[in-house]
Amino acid sequence: MDLSKRIQETTAYIERCMQPKGAIGVVLGTGLGGFVDEIEVSAELPYASIPHFPQSTVEGHDGKLIYGTMGGQAVFALKGRFHFYEGYRMDEVVYPIRVMKALGIESVLLSNASGAVNPNYKVGDIMVIKDHINLFPTNPLIGPNDESMGPRFPDMSEPYDREFRAAMIKAANSEGIEVREGVYAGLSGPCFETPAEYRYIRIIGADVVGMSTVPETIAAKHLGMRVVALSVITDLGIEGHVESITHEEVQAAAQAAEPKIAAIVRSFLSNRAPRSH
Ligand code: HPA
């Protein structure tokens, strides 16, 4: 079955239980799933019940769609994302983004955990993603282009919406939280980086590195969506300070930063003028 037909069947099913048109889409990263407790939930759907939806595998990513409100705004949240390292194809990794667009969602807020390569960063810091470097071995747009979704050669001169970034920084500051703004390098994983790889990632111009977000941003931009993204620094890949790290430590560090993320996002949403774009 072709992609647009599958998306149609997925959205038809979701719309029986929720009408998220105009909501902001939110993707919750590693260790940030508890953020859903901040949402006043009006409906939820486990991924397993949704036709054509990929299923989550990794510990710490149990999958469901949540529709509700936060900061007075309608939010459509994905608890559990699909990582390339789990073995999903790129079209599966970005499927939820394409479903969001088909549901009438025009803006998406992505979140993730990352390792810092910028020596000024600390564990627990939060970074607004300004730009990214795609180090995945592939790109979700490779293959025939569906012109009804977007152009063959999408512009990426402003992958992360300038206005949203400014609003996110303002929201953080109004909560007394200092945030960074920097460049996210996205790669496949699942290995964490070697010291030489962290060094390379720093040299090519990144501030942090992680295993998600970039494919979703590419797919969202292709669809003409506005993107804003937050990264929680969970470990350091800083020259001379590279320590051994486990997934559990990444999850714990992200969970510890969750109240800050929640405060920033709540403030961002409540300041967000209702607009159709
Ligand atoms: N590298 C890659 N991905 C990550 C890291 C890291 O150091 N921390 C959290 N996700």
Side-chain angles (χ1 to χ4, degrees):
M1 189 187 294
D2 81 353
L3 178 60
S4 56
K5 184 87 181 93
R6 274 185 285 143
I7 291 174
Q8 222 172 46
E9 290 188 1
T10 304
T11 54
Y13 181 84
I14 294 169
E15 281 168 341
R16 278 199 243 153
C17 151
M18 45 181 93
Q19 276 76 44
K21 186 170 165 31
I24 183 161
V26 178
V27 178
L28 301 167
T30 300
L32 298 171
F35 178 89
V36 296
D37 300 337
E38 305 286 326
I39 300 172
E40 290 161 53
V41 179
S42 51
E44 39 178 74
L45 280 173
Y47 292 167
S49 73
I50 307 170
H52 310 302
F53 223 73
Q55 304 303 323
S56 334
T57 62
V58 173
E59 209 189 315
H61 301 277
D62 79 89
K64 58 181 174 179
L65 286 184
I66 295 136
Y67 179 59
T69 59
M70 183 173 174
Q73 295 274 337
V75 295
F76 178 84
L78 291 168
K79 183 174 187 235
R81 66 144 56 92
F82 306 107
H83 296 89
F84 190 63
Y85 62 72
E86 292 173 87
Y88 295 108
R89 297 185 312 270
M90 274 294 181
D91 63 298
E92 295 176 302
V93 170
V94 303
Y95 191 73
I97 302 293
R98 290 173 169 162
V99 166
M100 283 188 196
K101 172 71 181 189
L103 288 166
I105 291 169
E106 300 292 341
S107 302
V108 61
L109 193 166
L110 307 173
S111 63
N112 62 53
S114 65
V117 294
N118 181 324
N120 300 318
Y121 288 12
K122 298 185 305 297
V123 169
D125 282 355
I126 293 170
M127 188 186 92
V128 175
I129 301 181
K130 184 180 190 172
D131 200 348
H132 74 222
I133 301 174
N134 181 18
L135 296 178
F136 282 85
T138 183
N139 182 302
L141 305 183
I142 287 175
N145 184 54
D146 181 342
E147 288 292 326
S148 70
M149 285 194 183
R152 170 74 290 186
F153 301 105
D155 173 63
M156 287 296 274
S157 59
E158 191 184 312
Y160 300 89
D161 188 89
R162 183 181 295 273
E163 242 181 84
F164 278 179
R165 280 190 276 129
M168 195 61 86
I169 292 167
K170 199 169 149 212
N173 293 342
S174 74
E175 294 296 312
I177 301 165
E178 202 195 322
V179 288
R180 315 283 190 168
E181 197 180 22
V183 176
Y184 176 94
L187 41 65
S188 74
C191 296
F192 291 113
E193 292 66 38
T194 65
E197 286 165 346
Y198 281 126
R199 193 171 115 79
Y200 155 77
I201 290 159
R202 179 63 183 153
I203 288 169
I204 63 171
D207 296 290
V208 303
V209 56
M211 305 175 194
S212 67
T213 305
V214 166
E216 289 128 313
T217 298
I218 291 172
K221 291 306 292 179
H222 179 238
L223 293 159
M225 297 168 85
R226 301 173 80 192
V227 181
V228 65
L230 291 175
S231 189
V232 178
I233 285 82
T234 56
D235 55 282
L236 304 179
I238 293 164
E239 219 177 346
H241 302 277
V242 178
E243 289 179 345
S244 73
I245 176 85
T246 65
H247 181 61
E248 290 66 34
E249 286 165 333
V250 166
Q251 280 181 299
Q255 264 160 29
E258 209 170 68
K260 280 204 283 184
I261 293 273
I264 296 168
V265 172
R266 182 183 302 284
S267 170
F268 171 80
L269 292 174
S270 54
N271 293 339
R272 191 171 166 248
R275 62 183 287 176
S276 52
H277 188 83

